[in-house]
Amino acid sequence: MPRYRVIDPEQNVIEEKEFADDTKAYDWFKTVEVPDDALGYAMEVDMDGEWTRFEINDGGTNTSPAADEGTGVA
């Protein structure tokens, strides 16, 4: 199962978690880990041992937290 992590604006890892798909990981990032008005937080996914940027929070109101399926690891 793919592993995701949340990075704060100072580049510290604040949480890591496994998800079966990108949509669940994106929802976790947007609705649980990072408040909508917080800037500079990022989510990364472990792709074959390398962390790759998946999402960056630019603040604002998030009316639709679900990502399109297939945007990261399948």
Side-chain angles (χ1 to χ4, degrees):
M1 199 174 331
R3 186 158 196 82
Y4 298 83
R5 69 182 183 183
V6 177
I7 308 293
D8 71 13
E10 289 79 38
Q11 303 303 303
N12 299 306
V13 176
I14 60 170
E15 184 71 51
E16 285 189 29
K17 196 168 182 178
E18 291 182 350
F19 290 96
D21 62 55
D22 294 340
T23 301
K24 287 180 178 68
Y26 185 83
D27 287 345
W28 165 71
F29 175 70
K30 287 294 194 177
T31 61
V32 176
E33 288 300 320
V34 180
D36 277 342
D37 60 350
L39 298 174
Y41 285 81
M43 183 169 62
E44 297 178 337
V45 60
D46 184 350
M47 296 184 70
D48 300 321
E50 271 191 55
W51 288 102
T52 303
R53 192 64 44 105
F54 181 77
E55 174 67 20
I56 299 173
N57 191 14
D58 58 1
T61 302
N62 184 16
T63 59
S64 180
D68 294 332
E69 291 209 36
T71 56
V73 174

